[in-house]
Amino acid sequence: MGLTNWMGTFGRARSLDLSSDLERGYEAALLIQSIEMEHYNDRPVRPELELSIPRAMQAQVLRRFRAALQVCRQSRDVLAPYRQELSGQELRQYQLIDTVTARYAVAREELPALSRTPEMLPRSLVSVVDQVRRQLDPEAEASVVAGFRRRRDSTLVSLRILLLLVLVPVLVQQVSRTYVVSPLVDRFAPDNTFLTYPKPHLEERAVEKLRVYQAEIEFDALLSGKALPSREELQSELAKRAQELKEEADQESTHAIKNVLADVCGFIGFVVVAILGRRDIQVLRGFIDEMVYGLSDSAKAFAIILFTDIFVGFHSPEGWTVLLDGVAHHLGLPAQENFVMLFIATFPVVLATIFKYWIFRYLNRVSPSSVATLRNMNGGG
């Protein structure tokens, strides 16, 4: 039993290493492609060429290119023995790493060409022949099983770290608020004014409730046919109600302090999980990329349009207003209309710009057909 557990642990560790190397190499390959498109007109990088940018910036670009190329080569060397275990999106990522690395082979580094050398055979035909060869390999079944186990381990690791990132902060926030923060705040709040918020907006709400309470007393007296209460009786009732409203305002103020302190504890729990599970988070990133890029073009376009319309679309201001009002109430702060309007006028615009840049820089290169589908679904815009 111990040997089985040890072998399973070793397999999961190897799965984490391969997923991490594949993710690092894929990001490096995308970086090299972006450098080629941005500075070399979608041609191989040539260090001896003078670009129309300052020398310091060109040196920085070349340093980034050499570092990314080194990462691609290391990733390819590590992943090459396990290529038969890859499938789907992982295989496409490895092929991109292999293509970029082969483009800058040692023989080509001495005299880079202005354009890419045409191939003798179409790449699709070569890939078909390679796929048939791998299927006829006697060890193909073992490779497929090993690849399935590695992907299963990666999925389990991704789901586990995702649950930890969600559940640990929530549990820490709730437990700390109930058993630590609340008793301490209730104990020290009466003697320490800094543990309570200034309550001008709470007092305004209390005054409004008191005015409504006075109108209710008079309305009930008129409905029942009784005489209106005298000034002394009305003052006595309003004094009792005012004391209750004051206690409610004080309690609401301490609740806001409790929420803030509990949220800080939950954030600390999230940071601890993120630090302790850095390798698992890298696997989670690869898992999410595989899910996103594994969708069909129509599904990608649908998801992008749905997300952007919710957060940066025509009806998004109402949603942002409700969200900001909820956050302000949770923190015990007044929902300032000027701040809400300023936030709605700036943040969705920044978010939309980030989306457009991501579509132009990455999605347009990885899945151009999904970008075309997205434009058609948006009416050609």
Side-chain angles (χ1 to χ4, degrees):
M1 184 67 181
L3 179 61
T4 304
N5 293 336
W6 182 84
M7 291 296 292
T9 303
F10 177 77
R12 286 191 292 271
R14 185 172 69 86
S15 173
L16 292 177
D17 292 337
L18 292 179
S19 299
S20 176
D21 291 329
L22 181 63
E23 182 68 19
R24 290 175 60 249
Y26 181 66
E27 291 181 355
L30 290 178
L31 176 60
I32 292 176
Q33 285 192 337
S34 65
I35 292 175
E36 292 174 351
M37 174 176 288
E38 185 174 355
H39 299 286
Y40 292 91
N41 196 20
D42 202 17
R43 295 177 178 177
V45 176
R46 299 190 64 189
E48 70 276 8
L49 291 181
E50 291 291 337
L51 302 178
S52 57
I53 57 177
R55 288 184 176 272
M57 186 178 297
Q58 181 174 353
Q60 183 179 4
V61 169
L62 293 178
R63 283 195 300 269
R64 293 172 58 198
F65 162 73
R66 293 190 180 97
L69 184 59
Q70 183 66 23
V71 172
C72 285
R73 289 172 176 170
Q74 292 175 356
S75 300
R76 188 190 64 172
D77 294 340
V78 172
L79 296 170
Y82 307 100
R83 180 177 180 179
Q84 295 181 352
E85 301 179 10
L86 305 177
S87 64
Q89 180 65 20
E90 293 180 342
L91 184 59
R92 288 190 289 271
Q93 292 178 350
Y94 175 80
Q95 290 174 348
L96 177 62
I97 297 172
D98 188 43
T99 302
V100 172
T101 307
R103 190 182 309 154
Y104 298 98
V106 178
R108 291 192 177 186
E109 284 184 352
E110 299 176 356
L111 186 59
L114 287 174
S115 60
R116 296 168 187 171
T117 305
E119 300 176 350
M120 298 296 297
L121 294 176
R123 186 175 302 175
S124 58
L125 180 61
V126 176
S127 62
V128 170
V129 174
D130 183 66
Q131 182 179 1
V132 173
R133 180 187 61 79
R134 288 189 289 109
Q135 291 176 351
L136 296 178
D137 190 354
E139 299 181 355
E141 183 177 357
S143 300
V144 171
V145 173
F148 170 77
R149 289 176 178 173
R150 188 180 60 81
R151 289 189 295 274
R152 181 192 61 187
D153 293 338
S154 299
T155 302
L156 293 177
V157 170
S158 301
L159 294 178
R160 184 187 64 185
I161 191 63
L162 183 61
L163 289 177
L164 288 177
L165 289 174
V166 174
L167 294 180
V168 170
V170 174
L171 292 177
V172 170
Q173 197 265 356
Q174 293 296 325
V175 172
S176 63
R177 190 185 192 283
T178 303
Y179 297 102
V180 179
V181 175
S182 293
L184 292 177
V185 173
D186 292 338
R187 169 65 180 81
F188 295 104
D191 301 328
N192 299 274
T193 56
F194 67 89
L195 290 178
T196 57
Y197 276 127
K199 300 181 286 293
H201 64 289
L202 298 179
E203 293 174 355
E204 292 178 1
R205 288 162 52 185
V207 170
E208 182 63 26
K209 290 181 181 179
L210 190 63
R211 186 180 298 111
V212 172
Y213 181 71
Q214 179 181 356
E216 290 177 352
I217 293 177
E218 296 175 353
F219 184 72
D220 291 339
L222 292 175
L223 286 180
S224 59
K226 299 179 181 179
L228 293 176
S230 63
R231 184 173 182 179
E232 290 77 10
E233 295 175 347
L234 183 61
Q235 185 176 1
S236 176
E237 293 292 333
L238 293 179
K240 294 180 182 179
R241 182 57 179 169
Q243 184 64 28
E244 295 176 358
L245 292 176
K246 178 183 179 301
E247 294 176 356
E248 291 179 2
D250 293 338
Q251 189 176 10
E252 188 172 352
S253 179
T254 56
H255 280 334
I257 290 293
K258 295 175 183 178
N259 292 334
V260 172
L261 297 178
D263 292 342
V264 171
C265 294
F267 178 74
I268 293 175
F270 178 84
V271 172
V272 171
V273 174
I275 293 176
L276 296 179
R278 284 177 293 182
R279 297 185 61 189
D280 294 348
I281 292 177
Q282 292 179 354
V283 177
L284 177 62
R285 289 180 56 191
F287 177 75
I288 294 176
D289 288 343
E290 184 175 357
M291 287 186 58
V292 172
Y293 292 117
L295 295 174
S296 64
D297 299 334
S298 300
K300 292 177 188 175
F302 174 80
I304 293 173
I305 291 177
L306 177 64
F307 191 81
T308 53
D309 284 353
I310 290 176
F311 292 99
V312 299
F314 179 75
H315 298 286
S316 62
E318 290 80 1
W320 285 114
T321 302
V322 174
L323 179 62
L324 293 175
D325 289 343
V327 172
H329 178 73
H330 178 77
L331 299 178
L333 300 175
Q336 297 291 341
E337 183 178 358
N338 292 335
F339 173 78
V340 173
M341 298 301 295
L342 180 63
F343 183 89
I344 293 175
T346 55
F347 184 76
V349 176
V350 175
L351 197 61
T353 305
I354 294 175
F355 265 103
K356 293 178 181 178
Y357 180 79
W358 172 73
I359 292 173
F360 168 76
R361 193 68 179 269
Y362 296 103
L363 189 64
N364 195 30
R365 178 179 294 273
V366 176
S367 181
S369 55
S370 63
V371 177
T373 304
L374 179 63
R375 292 175 179 172
N376 292 331
M377 293 179 68
N378 273 328

